[in-house]
Amino acid sequence: MSADQSITDKVHDVVIIGSGPAGLTAALYAARGTLEPIVIEGTVDGGPTGGQLTLTTDVENFPGFPDGIMGPKLIMDMRAQAERFGTRYITEDVVEAHIASNPKRLTTASGAEILTRSLIIATGAKPRRLDVPGEEELWGSGVSACATCDGFFFKDKHVVVIGGGDSAMEEADFLTKFASKVTVVHRRGELRASKIMQERAFKNDKIEFVWNATVAEVQGEGGSVSNLVLRDTVSGHTTDLPAEGLFLAIGHIPNTWLFSNVLRTDDEGYLLVDEPSTRTDVPGVFACGDVTDHTYRQAVTAAGTGCKAALDAERWLAEHTAAAPDDPRG
């Protein structure tokens, strides 16, 4: 739903931007704390409502589901749970944010203006993609950006990892627990990974390397990957590499463009918080989930920081609401 008058006519205690595991967990805790949170479901980069988990099929590593659960189903259940306690949702993108003001002002794509005393940013991060034919069509059906999430589904199969940094070596090493063979494809003739990570990969008998190559096309039938077309970065020639899975390890892009000029970020653009809390350097603004995390990037770790953000916001409001100004719109 879009923002109706009941939402735009008041100053809210807390607004949450983002509806992945972090945002929805924050909403659940805030709602149970009687803060009547508003969740803006649209993401800042036009990605899916519900975050990256909505693009995942079977989730088998989220606690409480011994038989696994589909990613979209998990998100819908979390959404309904938060709604049960009074969370309301706006399905729009935030296009403008004045977070240093008091109250904070958010403008949605339809032009609605939402005022809030505190703000929780849970906008997540998106994996860098190759942008080649077949990638989008087979995403979640053989193409993945998370070996920890999906490696189990590739038992005794040949998979390919794209990348040359520490993350790529970690993904490749992890995948050897399941796959029969892991081929690392790197666009250069040498790795960027640290020496210790390189040595570990080179010593693993299940890991092979293809140098000076990029993926030109992902091919598959019946909703699964069957072949990669590789392009030599030196000669330009293409060759086929039969494979049953493709894992991208070329980095993530945090969804922070709305806030990067106001809030502190690290060199990769992730929001910095005052750990172990979720406080940013702007009073009343908190951040959680993958928008602050370039290390773990798991649904359960995102949910945990969402809980922390809601508790941080609740405590901040208890200390500052008495001094909050009246609604400037009268």
Side-chain angles (χ1 to χ4, degrees):
M1 63 168 286
S2 58
D4 58 31
Q5 194 168 353
S6 66
I7 292 177
T8 58
D9 274 358
K10 63 177 291 188
V11 178
H12 301 279
D13 281 328
V14 60
V15 168
I16 300 161
I17 306 178
S19 58
L24 293 177
T25 302
L28 172 62
Y29 274 79
R32 282 179 54 82
T34 68
L35 295 180
E36 299 181 339
I38 302 296
V39 171
I40 303 179
E41 294 188 282
T43 60
V44 295
D45 70 333
T49 295
Q52 295 298 317
L53 207 58
T54 60
L55 302 177
T56 304
T57 51
D58 293 319
V59 178
E60 296 190 327
N61 55 4
F62 199 91
F65 300 94
D67 298 321
I69 185 172
M70 298 293 284
K73 178 67 163 58
L74 177 58
I75 287 296
M76 292 306 296
D77 286 351
M78 295 178 74
R79 187 184 188 280
Q81 187 177 9
E83 188 172 28
R84 172 189 168 198
F85 293 101
T87 299
R88 289 192 289 171
Y89 299 90
I90 300 172
T91 309
E92 287 193 64
D93 285 348
V94 176
V95 296
E96 191 173 348
H98 298 280
I99 62 175
S101 62
N102 188 16
K104 295 141 199 353
R105 296 174 178 265
L106 306 174
T107 304
T108 69
S110 68
E113 186 176 79
I114 301 166
L115 302 184
T116 181
R117 296 182 177 91
S118 69
L119 176 68
I120 295 176
I121 301 170
T123 48
K126 60 182 179 181
R128 294 184 187 275
R129 299 209 183 182
L130 302 173
D131 293 327
V132 298
E135 177 188 31
E136 180 65 30
E137 292 81 358
L138 292 166
W139 191 268
S141 299
V143 180
S144 172
C146 181
T148 306
C149 309
D150 300 326
F152 178 81
F153 303 110
F154 294 86
K155 285 185 175 180
D156 301 321
K157 296 183 177 181
H158 174 211
V159 301
V160 172
V161 173
I162 306 299
D166 280 355
S167 295
M169 297 307 101
E170 289 174 6
E171 298 273 281
D173 185 65
F174 179 83
L175 287 166
T176 60
K177 298 178 181 180
F178 309 102
S180 59
K181 183 172 73 171
V182 177
T183 299
V184 175
V185 175
H186 186 42
R187 60 182 177 173
R188 298 187 177 94
E190 58 183 12
L191 299 173
R192 295 182 294 105
S194 59
K195 185 176 181 181
I196 188 171
M197 294 302 297
Q198 291 190 43
E199 290 177 349
R200 184 179 302 169
F202 290 145
K203 289 179 181 179
N204 193 318
D205 293 337
K206 296 177 78 173
I207 299 178
E208 298 181 357
F209 291 84
V210 174
W211 304 103
N212 299 311
T214 59
V215 176
E217 183 179 356
V218 184
Q219 298 176 337
E221 296 179 358
S224 61
V225 171
S226 61
N227 184 67
L228 304 178
V229 178
L230 303 185
R231 176 172 288 111
D232 190 294
T233 58
V234 179
S235 68
H237 295 156
T238 59
T239 56
D240 288 338
L241 177 62
E244 297 161 286
L246 173 64
F247 288 83
L248 307 185
I250 52 178
H252 283 68
I253 304 171
N255 298 320
T256 54
W257 68 270
L258 271 173
F259 319 105
S260 57
N261 291 331
V262 181
L263 297 176
R264 290 187 304 129
T265 64
D266 65 13
D267 292 340
E268 298 179 62
Y270 289 84
L271 295 181
L272 294 173
V273 296
D274 185 16
E275 295 184 7
S277 79
T278 62
R279 295 188 301 269
T280 69
D281 51 334
V282 172
V285 178
F286 308 88
C288 58
D290 285 5
V291 78
T292 68
D293 175 19
H294 48 67
T295 303
Y296 301 103
R297 294 194 297 267
Q298 299 297 303
V300 67
T301 53
T305 60
C307 165
K308 291 168 58 176
L311 296 176
D312 288 342
E314 184 176 5
R315 291 165 183 161
W316 186 87
L317 285 164
E319 296 172 359
H320 295 85
T321 296
D326 294 332
D327 187 339
R329 292 172 298 192

